[in-house]
């Protein structure tokens, strides 16, 4: 048996009482480059986990004797917590609450794999991207992120290593491109690209989110004006509540719009609700001023927080962006269908436009268009692209 290598990111342990399912997942995982072991119960899982130190555990929830929930509790006591893929046929509601259980236990990264699943579902759940993403716990720290220090981030901002990529947004009715969202990428000089999930939490905890947002705004607004001098294209920027504690961001944005002749109404400021938008009077008044200048205000990842309704009512939003967690499985999940329909209805009552993000295939686009979402964004339409490529993509589409 090979010695466990602390740094090998490819050890995957499957815990399922059905050997056929275990072998099926194992084959897909091996194709993806994982080293795989299979166990059939929670006690065996603990023994194998401690001996082999896998980075990822695929866990069946329903097992005779000790169940997957007990396994989550036991794994959460380990020094290094594995990424978890929860698989089960119990239904999405229960899987969701199992996922919340895992988050409450401090397990940072969880994907779900509802049974019955296809080869593609397993592949998607085990893809490094899915496993690295932790949409429900934006403050979790990965191995890569924990090596990053505030000094490095400051240097990256000062040296312009943090650069936007642009993901298009289309009109669901006409399929025409209407704008872009700027997403931050940290291009380190050694050729690595560091993703936002690994540095935005650091930016927020180290007081660097202000300079980062400003750098993103400056580069992307200039790109917008140079790429689309006469086309009414919008640009969405991701901002956090912290950015509005003083009036600086508003003033900077207004200055950039003036310098590059961009009407403020073309700029959409997305706010993530997951971080708990506060009811602080300074924030409410600042966001009101931002709206008074004509900027659009969008509530990002709608539906994933606890106070979304309250914030929608309290803050002057113009757009609601439905979280991709509800969009990605909308063709199969009744719960997601209900949430999306209600969000569209609520937005209609409040006069907001609705964007569906995470549109990954044609049936999803049809579905969200059918229930009344105005705009769509997602890999099916286009992945985030570098500036020149994004501009050509849009011009090509506009000419059609
Ligand atoms: P977000 O604002 O909700 O952005 C959408 C994220 O989903 C992006 O990830 C995008 O690449 C990804 N995405 C888009 N379409 C699809 C799809 O069809 N399927 C899947 N699976 N994913 C899709 P990204 O670029 O990694 O950004 C993650 C989050 O980091 C963003 O979520 C946003 O909250 C934050 N972020 C990114 N750039 C900035 C920034 O400049 N400032 C701040 N404050 N936050 C940022
Ligand atoms: Mg966003
Ligand atoms: Mg979002």
């Amino acid at each position: 048996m090979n010695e466990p290598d602390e740094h090998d990111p490819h050890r995957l342990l499957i815990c399922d009482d059905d050997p056929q399912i275990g072998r099926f997942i194992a084959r897909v995982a091996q194709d993806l480059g994982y080293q795989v072991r299979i166990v059939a119960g929670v006690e065996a899982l603990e023994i194998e986990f401690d001996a082999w130190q896998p980075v990822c555990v695929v866990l069946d929830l329903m097992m005779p004797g000790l169940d997957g929930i007990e396994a989550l509790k036991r794994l959460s006591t380990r020094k290094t917590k594995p990424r978890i893929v929860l698989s089960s046929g119990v239904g999405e509601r229960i899987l969701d609450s199992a996922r919340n259980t895992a988050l409450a236990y401090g397990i940072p990264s969880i994907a779900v794999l509802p049974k019955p699943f296809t080869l593609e579902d397993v592949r998607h759940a085990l893809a490094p991207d899915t496993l690295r993403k932790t949409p429900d716990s934006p403050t979790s720290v990965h191995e890569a992120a924990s090596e990053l220090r505030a000094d490095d981030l400051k240097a990256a901002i000062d040296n312009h290593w943090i650069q936007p990529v642009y993901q298009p947004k289309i009109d669901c009715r006409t399929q025409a491109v209407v704008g872009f969202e700027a997403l931050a990428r940290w291009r380190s000089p050694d050729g690595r690209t560091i993703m936002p999930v690994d540095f935005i939490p650091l930016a927020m905890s180290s007081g660097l989110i202000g300079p980062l947002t400003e750098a993103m705004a400056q580069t992307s607004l200039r790109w917008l004006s140079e790429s689309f001098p006469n086309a009414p294209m919008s640009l969405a920027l991701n901002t956090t509540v912290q950015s509005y504690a003083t009036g600086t961001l508003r003033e900077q944005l207004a200055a950039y719009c003036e310098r590059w002749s961009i009407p403020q109404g073309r700029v959409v400021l997305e706010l993530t609700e997951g971080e708990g938008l506060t009811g602080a009077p300074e924030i409410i008044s600042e966001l009101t001023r931002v709206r008074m200048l004509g900027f659009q205000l969008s509530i990002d990842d709608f539906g994933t927080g606890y106070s979304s309704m309250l914030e929608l009512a309290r803050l002057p939003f113009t757009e609601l962006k439905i979280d991709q967690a509800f969009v990605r499985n909308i063709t199969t999940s009744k719960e997601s269908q209900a949430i999306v329909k209600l969000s569209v209805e609520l937005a209609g009552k409040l006069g907001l436009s609705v964007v569906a993000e995470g549109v990954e295939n044609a049936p999803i686009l049809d579905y969200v268009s059918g229930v009344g979402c105005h705009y769509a964004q997602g890999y099916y339409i286009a992945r985030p692209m570098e500036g020149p490529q994004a501009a050509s993509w849009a011009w090509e589409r506009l000419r059609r």
Side-chain angles (χ1 to χ4, degrees):
M1 209 179 286
N2 291 335
E3 275 294 297
D5 168 1
E6 287 296 315
H7 302 289
D8 182 354
H10 296 295
R11 284 191 306 276
L12 180 117
L13 182 58
I14 299 167
C15 180
D16 202 306
D17 61 311
D18 182 334
Q20 238 179 326
I21 292 189
R23 281 196 299 272
F24 177 72
I25 299 174
R27 268 202 304 277
V28 181
Q30 280 159 345
D31 282 350
L32 288 167
Y34 287 98
Q35 298 171 37
V36 181
R37 290 186 189 174
I38 307 175
V39 290
V42 175
E43 275 125 354
L45 168 71
E46 283 189 284
I47 294 169
E48 194 64 45
F49 183 86
D50 292 336
W52 195 46
Q53 297 285 301
V55 292
C56 178
V57 173
V58 181
L59 183 62
D60 183 15
L61 271 186
M62 296 276 266
M63 290 181 288
L66 301 175
D67 60 13
I69 299 289
E70 178 62 24
L72 287 173
K73 181 174 163 196
R74 296 188 179 192
L75 289 177
S76 75
T77 63
R78 287 350 194 233
K79 199 167 121 251
T80 311
K81 295 176 185 43
R83 295 171 188 150
I84 301 271
V85 177
L86 289 173
S87 87
S88 181
V90 290
E92 303 234 351
R93 295 279 303 272
I94 299 176
L95 261 181
D96 269 353
S97 80
R99 177 165 59 178
N100 291 335
T101 309
L103 287 168
Y105 276 131
I107 290 174
S109 176
I110 304 112
V112 292
L113 183 58
K115 287 179 186 171
F117 41 68
T118 64
L119 188 107
E120 259 324 297
D121 296 333
V122 180
R123 242 189 226 141
H124 183 261
L126 296 182
D129 267 6
T130 313
L131 284 176
R132 284 173 58 78
K133 278 209 158 163
T134 56
D136 294 331
S137 58
T139 50
S140 69
V141 178
H142 305 136
E143 299 93 316
S146 60
E147 292 162 14
L148 301 171
R149 289 173 309 131
D151 289 351
D152 303 325
L153 180 58
K154 183 167 184 322
I157 298 169
D158 292 346
N159 290 308
H160 309 288
W161 294 337
I162 308 255
Q163 286 289 329
V165 287
Y166 304 93
Q167 188 178 35
K169 191 157 88 178
I170 61 165
D171 184 316
C172 286
R173 215 167 28 84
T174 63
Q175 313 260 303
V177 51
V178 294
F180 291 89
E181 176 174 6
L183 295 159
R185 296 291 180 267
W186 176 345
R187 312 286 190 200
S188 106
D190 63 11
R192 273 188 313 156
T193 295
I194 304 167
M195 299 297 282
V197 67
D198 289 327
F199 63 87
I200 296 295
L202 174 65
M204 285 168 63
S205 62
S206 61
L208 288 166
I209 194 71
L212 188 148
T213 308
E214 189 202 327
M216 287 288 293
Q218 184 167 12
T219 311
S220 55
L221 288 173
R222 181 170 180 178
W223 168 82
L224 184 77
S225 111
E226 290 174 352
S227 308
F228 306 101
N230 306 310
M233 214 57 79
S234 70
L235 182 90
L237 286 164
N238 287 287
T239 65
T240 62
V241 166
Q242 271 173 289
S243 321
Y244 298 94
T246 66
T248 324
L249 179 63
R250 168 173 48 88
E251 284 158 15
Q252 281 165 341
L253 288 168
Y256 296 145
C257 284
E258 188 170 334
R259 188 181 318 163
W260 291 305
S261 311
I262 298 170
Q264 277 93 331
R266 300 259 164 83
V267 180
V268 184
L269 302 171
E270 295 188 3
L271 274 159
T272 313
E273 60 148 1
E275 71 212 29
L277 306 185
T278 66
E282 314 85 77
I283 304 289
I284 303 180
S285 52
E286 184 52 26
L287 289 173
T288 307
R289 285 200 194 98
V290 162
R291 282 286 302 125
M292 285 159 67
L293 283 178
F295 293 107
Q296 306 289 322
L297 211 54
S298 171
I299 184 162
D300 204 351
D301 303 337
F302 183 74
T304 55
Y306 294 98
S307 50
S308 23
M309 292 280 205
L310 193 61
E311 268 133 18
L312 254 194
R314 187 158 55 188
L315 297 170
F317 288 107
T318 54
E319 177 186 278
L320 179 161
K321 241 179 146 168
I322 301 174
D323 192 73
Q324 42 183 293
F326 307 115
V327 175
R328 235 177 303 158
N329 62 2
I330 192 156
T331 53
T332 52
S333 157
K334 287 208 168 53
E335 287 80 15
S336 291
Q337 291 168 0
I339 288 168
V340 170
K341 278 187 188 146
L342 275 174
S343 304
V344 170
E345 216 170 287
L346 180 64
K349 296 230 155 77
L350 297 172
L352 313 182
S353 53
V354 183
V355 185
E357 68 176 356
V359 172
E360 291 189 344
N361 55 45
I364 297 179
L365 181 58
D366 288 345
Y367 197 102
V368 297
S369 306
V371 296
C373 292
H374 304 103
Y375 304 107
Q377 195 181 329
Y379 292 169
Y380 174 64
I381 298 145
R383 293 202 171 234
M385 296 171 273
E386 300 287 337
Q389 195 193 351
S392 323
W393 184 94
W395 280 114
E396 173 65 25
R397 199 162 168 123
L398 286 170
R399 269 192 286 273
R400 266 196 253 144

